[in-house]
Amino acid sequence: MTDIFADMESEVRSYARSFPVIFERAQGSYLIDVDGRRYLDFLAGAGSLNYGHNNPVLKEALLAYISDDGITHGLDMHTRAKERFLEALRDIILAPRGLDYVVQFTGPTGTNAVEAALKLARNITGRHNVISFTNGFHGVSLGAMAATGNSHHRDAAGIPLTGTTAMLYDGYLDADVDTAEILDRMISDPSSGVDHPAAVILETVQGEGGLNVASFEWLRNIESVCRKHDMLLIVDDIQAGCGRTGTFFSFEPAGISPDIVTLSKSLSGYGLPFAVTLFKPRYDQWKPGEHNGTFRGNNHAFITATRALEAFWASDDFAAHIGARAEQMTKGLDAIAAGAPTGTLARKGRGMMQGLSCSNGELAGAITAACFDSGLVIESSGSEGQVVKCLAPLTISEEELSEGLRIIGKVVNQIVSKQFRQAS
Amino acid sequence: MTDIFADMESEVRSYARSFPVIFERAQGSYLIDVDGRRYLDFLAGAGSLNYGHNNPVLKEALLAYISDDGITHGLDMHTRAKERFLEALRDIILAPRGLDYVVQFTGPTGTNAVEAALKLARNITGRHNVISFTNGFHGVSLGAMAATGNSHHRDAAGIPLTGTTAMLYDGYLDADVDTAEILDRMISDPSSGVDHPAAVILETVQGEGGLNVASFEWLRNIESVCRKHDMLLIVDDIQAGCGRTGTFFSFEPAGISPDIVTLSKSLSGYGLPFAVTLFKPRYDQWKPGEHNGTFRGNNHAFITATRALEAFWASDDFAAHIGARAEQMTKGLDAIAAGAPTGTLARKGRGMMQGLSCSNGELAGAITAACFDSGLVIESSGSEGQVVKCLAPLTISEEELSEGLRIIGKVVNQIVSKQFRQAS
Amino acid sequence: MTDIFADMESEVRSYARSFPVIFERAQGSYLIDVDGRRYLDFLAGAGSLNYGHNNPVLKEALLAYISDDGITHGLDMHTRAKERFLEALRDIILAPRGLDYVVQFTGPTGTNAVEAALKLARNITGRHNVISFTNGFHGVSLGAMAATGNSHHRDAAGIPLTGTTAMLYDGYLDADVDTAEILDRMISDPSSGVDHPAAVILETVQGEGGLNVASFEWLRNIESVCRKHDMLLIVDDIQAGCGRTGTFFSFEPAGISPDIVTLSKSLSGYGLPFAVTLFKPRYDQWKPGEHNGTFRGNNHAFITATRALEAFWASDDFAAHIGARAEQMTKGLDAIAAGAPTGTLARKGRGMMQGLSCSNGELAGAITAACFDSGLVIESSGSEGQVVKCLAPLTISEEELSEGLRIIGKVVNQIVSKQFRQAS
Amino acid sequence: MTDIFADMESEVRSYARSFPVIFERAQGSYLIDVDGRRYLDFLAGAGSLNYGHNNPVLKEALLAYISDDGITHGLDMHTRAKERFLEALRDIILAPRGLDYVVQFTGPTGTNAVEAALKLARNITGRHNVISFTNGFHGVSLGAMAATGNSHHRDAAGIPLTGTTAMLYDGYLDADVDTAEILDRMISDPSSGVDHPAAVILETVQGEGGLNVASFEWLRNIESVCRKHDMLLIVDDIQAGCGRTGTFFSFEPAGISPDIVTLSKSLSGYGLPFAVTLFKPRYDQWKPGEHNGTFRGNNHAFITATRALEAFWASDDFAAHIGARAEQMTKGLDAIAAGAPTGTLARKGRGMMQGLSCSNGELAGAITAACFDSGLVIESSGSEGQVVKCLAPLTISEEELSEGLRIIGKVVNQIVSKQFRQAS
């Protein structure tokens, strides 16, 4: 049944290998395959489906727009759909948070938004170097990939990646070592060999890197280093943003003020390709068309994104819902970890971006595979694939989340117990 | 009325400056603004709307799919929609042409498809250098931008672009100089300073570069140079493909067999973000997930792309239609050029990718601006913006095309006559 | 009197600014200017005159060779002079130490020897990245400069420096942090963003970097990291080698076995341009002439270098002499530092590569300037120029060394006392 | 007898393979091996011995200087020897030619002088790209190597070489194609893909590249392109300068005014390592010590260089002598070429930088090998080693030159006749 994929699709395909069925439909927290089997989705488009699959509120708006022959493709021309998105973003998100950003509609992929951010930072400062962090992930086009830590991706470049310096993320060394201080020391030292950076780019929680969480203090320290050395602070909020950690932007509770922010994944709300780069108005030094792209500004995404902002962020209810689900997840994962032999499992992450750090990647892989057999789509992340990552839709109900955690708990119990029995 | 754009959208916006209205709806060959004014569209999403705006056949399929909660976002998991697209691509396009390619679903932008192509070529050969051509355009993410000629884009990188060598496109020197021979000489010479390339990347007709047309003989010569020196031939068919020059792939009439082909823009048929990289099966040396991206495989685009292939490419009718319209365009533009003072205007291009080369960029700019005032959306291209580019939908009717050409002719007459009177 | 220099010599000149006289002759530990004034030399050609100026033993051999029309320039052809140098290097230096190296005669500059080392390491491993260290100095040609930490030099490149990653030298963080362990962690982590290195390049004592000393344990740990991750260990012994730290190679007491070693500066013994790159025979993967240069193999330098090895390294007497002088210097500098207010001065370095670390660069600059007024040529080093560096000839007598230390002590006393009085 | 070389010297050695004897002494135009056999030297240190081996006038000055304990090594401090060199360079060379250059004493290798030139040009202009030419050779340290065409050297870098664009040298295409015009067109075209260059670097006669001669008109055209586009003109006169083509600087008869000039090889006159970079005073934008190096300013070389300028360039006699010998060489080589079957041999080059272009590299290699057997040291050059290069000392006598040409003629006759007989 999957012959056409084996015949025609490149070996580069990856998720399809972990979930070897053909999906056909999806609703809310569930994927449905061609045989009608339903799978609870704890992957959620790698964080692109914060409002669930085919959210009916968004769907209605999209259907109406298409039916009415609203502009689908308009390059970066002004459209009514774009106008309304800008208004909603300003009125619902930016203004209430006291954020003053202009919006660049980049190509509709996260990596493109990062490419734009890096160009902008380099052009503003006239410097080429950008500080990235261990285990960071920012995309795999050449510019963004230089800031990505993963050697699996880096080695595929076929050419040395330049223009970045990898520094130590929060917690990379012993807990008492402030890696922001090491960064400051190297930048302050004119003979460190680290060229004066244009910018620092970071994720507040590293999704692909294994749910590593930067403390708010560390984020503030990094911001201070940026101010001290006249470097721009870029927060790549592509995975952690759009509510994933509990607030619209993941950096809100840290009290920092990034100069540039990238958003994508769940920004459209409906899983449609969409990305923006936000920056403080004084940094809007682009010349017209310097960074372009055929699909910048996806009008279908404007429609669903606008509707998502209106439906989920106009009041505090949704944030409260996320908070409750996050707490539920924390408790559930803690319980699972507590039930496993010491040192085997540990809860990790923040908000609805949590998971279980396993003692090794094999264990994590065994857990996710067994979950799928039990009807749960879930993946691992981290440098060795050692972290089981729960990226459920933020709209998930208490019951659905319980069900997902129950499956994980059951699977962990089976696998870890078995390993324990074998080992003893 | 456009205040929100001035306030909130980055200065990087470009097309919106040429067409300072707010568009709301679109049908076939027409854009409609918020005041209900209709504009004939000779820009067509920079070649992304070969089947016109909101083509009803595709629209119907898309509405049904959305209504039925078909998978919208599934990372690169197998879906029914992807399966049908692969079948249609194989059965309607590749097999009948004797082409044996596997399909990589890259991030849904042309530049991402090019990034994938460049990585693949470098990894297969273990070489870093890629030959690009004067006036070529392949995107503005860092890897693709290195192969793009335009200094407006290149200078925005803020970092030297590496890994490519710009060579002379067909016709760059005097007509009797075969620039493929110069390429061969430099690659053959072990002391030329041009490192042995992994690949050559080219457009058969350079859209952004100014509608420069490579002769079929030159394309064959380049292919021979590639074979002689064990280099891969990459055809970037993002703008010239999907029927724009009269055949599905622009390189078909040249009789060449590219190793890698990139497609995007009109591939979805509906203006939805979508891109693929095709390559010969023996070059499918990707490891799983080496090149990835959240929106690779846009399921809405699968639906419309599949429907477009079925509706337009299952028979020869559409190709015949394009041929007729292209001939009409050739005659129309020739007539316009002939009516202008000698040396002022010349027709350029191939198929439905034609335009008028003006004696300078100011003239071309004046023509496109006046066309817009007359209800025609049209843009210029080329290194100095000197080429008025007619990228009408391929589905345009004889009458609509006549109307567009009539507007151009009228505008040219007014402007050129006026300049002529002023000069004399 | 110095008009011709102001008129004709580039602003790039540097030492001439610190010592604004015209030197004419030199003998042993003394420089003599055109007015006959004698200066004790604690700079010694930045470590190129370990055997003093115009050492009479070497001078005699050189005069005889020139008088007899020995080959002066022979590219890299075999000459009697080269033959004898190779024999002396093998018999007097390498064999007794159990070292098995082949010799590459690079261009006669340290930076050229480093360029050769980096090329070799990259070619052997097929990797591009090389680990360098904070405050390291390896030269200012483009390849070597990428491994050099100093931004004064790096920024002059006018182009980003690539192919290296700067890591933390021993002692860069708190004393209890083993920076070799941080290196190991980043190399071991497939997602650290540090590409698998071809090699590590280091100085055992950083001369230009401010007399930073790597502990023997750290050097062994770095060697272990290299072995663990299949990386080559390159010791740049250009300044610390040739006896400067007490043994011919600076790394001998650490018990490590570098894969590649660079030597220059004092290798000729007479101050003549000369450099070699040594490496283990299994790494001699050069093709003939791949790395070349007109002056590789300076036959005059062969003569003096051979004579220097015979005269100074055939027995242990010279090493014993260095040890005694180093101990004298340690005591002298400790006494000077002890006499200054707490926190003002501290002794630094190893062997005859010691100096005084000052609380800031201004103080160090004031000390060296006042020393010159008192007839002592001495310079500062370090990232802020904060370290007064005593690079006396190794052949210096007890009395000469006492005299130099006396001048430094007197100057320190005057300057520090004066500052202290002003401050209080 | 050569065991020590096989045992101890790296495989990178090259000339020693062509001339497998051990040389011991040298005088004027002759090398003498350890068995007392004399070889006429048509290699002359690859152009480093324009005044012959151990020229007695220079030798006397050097012996006196060493005997008197003149400064041997003084970093870049002012010395009497440097003062006199600067005076001689100004009074004998620069002033009479109306040239206004300041002098940078770089590391004593040609490649280091080129590194300095490239840095300077990039810093002055703030641009990274430099135009180099097919078959150019400028050294093998990383910066200079990027401007070097030879893949044998380039491939040894182990890392992509960046910051240069290789363009077509004069005569690379058909004789009627002006490659300077192609350069102009690409630089003028904002979409050519060639980034606006900081500078053009060229040799007026390409020595390693195969004695390719740039016409004076082409050099003037290149200078015009530089002026038009605000690029610096760098003439690398390391091999062609110091009288090799008949005038002190090779570019004099072309009437151009380079902004930067590099000199090395025969600059010391005695074969001692020495190099300078000259540039117009307004471009002296170095900060002190930005480009440095331990052996910059070789005082022994100052002595012999000064003496060489006084002895050979204070009058026109030496230039006249070179002219006569060049004419003799032209006639001799023409006669040899004329005696060979059509298409086999052709004379190439300019001044005393001439040779025979052979139909292939094997023939050239056979000729040089047979010459050595007949007592003539001579090498081939060019991308395929196809050009027999006669780099006799400029001081060669009429009789010595005749003898060398006689040997070449005899060898050519034997080899070509034999091949001709075998072929027929």
Side-chain angles (χ1 to χ4, degrees), chain A residues 113-166:
Chain A
V114 171
E115 295 269 343
L118 297 177
K119 286 186 193 179
L120 192 61
R122 287 175 174 138
N123 276 312
I124 288 167
T125 59
R127 303 180 208 129
H128 69 274
N129 194 25
V130 171
I131 299 295
S132 58
F133 288 99
T134 49
N135 300 118
F137 184 90
H138 302 284
V140 301
S141 54
L142 210 64
M145 186 158 49
T148 290
N150 196 315
S151 59
H152 180 58
H153 296 119
R154 294 176 68 87
D155 292 349
I159 195 171
L161 298 168
T162 63
T164 54
T165 300

Side-chain angles (χ1 to χ4, degrees), chain A residues 224-291:
Chain A
S224 296
V225 175
C226 288
R227 300 303 165 234
K228 176 177 173 187
H229 298 288
D230 187 28
M231 295 145 49
L232 301 184
L233 176 59
I234 306 171
V235 172
D236 179 341
D237 228 14
I238 290 172
Q239 184 157 153
C242 297
R244 176 55 58 183
T245 66
T247 49
F248 187 82
F249 294 109
S250 70
F251 55 80
E252 293 177 39
I256 60 172
S257 172
D259 301 297
I260 305 179
V261 179
T262 55
L263 289 175
S264 183
K265 287 196 181 271
S266 279
L267 182 60
S268 82
Y270 205 71
L272 301 176
F274 190 27
V276 296
T277 302
L278 310 176
F279 32 87
K280 295 180 176 171
R282 67 176 173 280
Y283 295 130
D284 189 9
Q285 300 179 10
W286 287 112
K287 295 176 204 152
E290 274 193 314
H291 184 90

Side-chain angles (χ1 to χ4, degrees), chain B residues 199-267:
Chain B
V200 166
I201 185 167
L202 60 82
E203 301 151 283
T204 65
V205 183
Q206 296 182 321
E208 299 309 300
L211 299 177
N212 309 308
V213 178
S215 72
F216 299 153
E217 183 187 2
W218 186 82
L219 292 171
R220 287 190 292 267
N221 289 347
I222 291 291
E223 185 184 46
S224 296
V225 174
C226 288
R227 301 302 165 233
K228 176 178 173 185
H229 298 289
D230 187 27
M231 296 145 48
L232 300 185
L233 176 58
I234 305 170
V235 171
D236 179 342
D237 227 15
I238 289 171
Q239 186 158 153
C242 296
R244 176 54 59 183
T245 65
T247 48
F248 186 81
F249 294 108
S250 71
F251 56 80
E252 294 176 37
I256 60 174
S257 172
D259 300 297
I260 304 178
V261 179
T262 56
L263 289 175
S264 183
K265 286 197 183 273
S266 279
L267 181 60

Side-chain angles (χ1 to χ4, degrees), chain C residues 163-314:
Chain C
T164 54
T165 300
M167 298 296 293
L168 308 165
Y169 194 70
D170 192 22
Y172 198 79
L173 302 180
D174 295 340
D176 62 330
V177 180
D178 178 7
T179 60
E181 200 278 327
I182 298 178
L183 173 64
D184 182 31
R185 198 177 303 190
M186 293 187 84
I187 307 298
S188 301
D189 180 351
S191 288
S192 68
V194 176
D195 294 315
H196 190 180
V200 166
I201 185 166
L202 59 82
E203 303 150 281
T204 64
V205 183
Q206 295 182 320
E208 299 308 299
L211 299 176
N212 308 310
V213 178
S215 72
F216 299 152
E217 183 186 1
W218 186 82
L219 291 171
R220 287 189 293 269
N221 289 348
I222 291 291
E223 185 184 47
S224 295
V225 175
C226 287
R227 300 304 164 235
K228 178 178 173 186
H229 298 289
D230 188 28
M231 296 144 49
L232 299 185
L233 175 59
I234 305 172
V235 172
D236 179 342
D237 227 14
I238 289 172
Q239 184 158 152
C242 297
R244 176 55 59 182
T245 66
T247 49
F248 187 82
F249 294 108
S250 71
F251 55 80
E252 293 176 38
I256 60 173
S257 172
D259 300 298
I260 304 179
V261 179
T262 55
L263 289 176
S264 183
K265 288 198 181 273
S266 280
L267 182 60
S268 81
Y270 205 72
L272 301 177
F274 190 29
V276 297
T277 302
L278 309 176
F279 34 86
K280 295 179 178 171
R282 67 176 172 277
Y283 295 130
D284 189 10
Q285 301 179 8
W286 287 111
K287 294 177 205 152
E290 274 193 313
H291 184 90
N292 65 4
T294 292
F295 297 113
R296 64 194 188 279
N298 177 358
N299 279 271
H300 284 190
F302 290 150
I303 294 297
T304 54
T306 302
R307 198 70 197 89
L309 295 183
E310 292 166 349
F312 293 98
W313 297 99

Side-chain angles (χ1 to χ4, degrees), chain B residues 3 9 35 61 75 79 101 110 120 131 138-139 180-181 299 313 320 333 353 361-362 369 377 419 422:
Chain B
D3 280 3
E9 190 175 0
D35 297 323
L75 295 162
T79 64
Y101 289 130
L120 192 61
I131 299 296
H138 302 284
E181 201 277 328
N299 279 270
W313 297 99
L333 293 176
M353 201 168 176
E362 288 67 38
V377 167
Q419 289 191 339
Q422 288 176 330

Side-chain angles (χ1 to χ4, degrees), chain C residues 72-73 273 294-295 298 300, chain D residues 47-52 54-55 57-59 61-62 85 108 238 242 248 263-276 298-310 312-313:
Chain C
T72 299
H73 186 286
T294 292
F295 297 113
N298 177 358
H300 284 190
Chain D
S48 300
L49 295 162
N50 283 1
Y51 312 110
N54 299 324
N55 186 292
V57 175
L58 314 187
K59 171 180 171 179
L62 181 58
F85 170 72
I238 289 172
C242 298
F248 186 81
L263 289 176
S264 182
K265 288 199 180 270
S266 280
L267 182 60
S268 81
Y270 205 72
L272 301 176
F274 191 29
V276 297
N298 177 357
N299 279 269
H300 284 190
F302 290 151
I303 294 298
T304 54
T306 302
R307 199 68 197 88
L309 295 182
E310 292 167 349
F312 292 99
W313 296 99

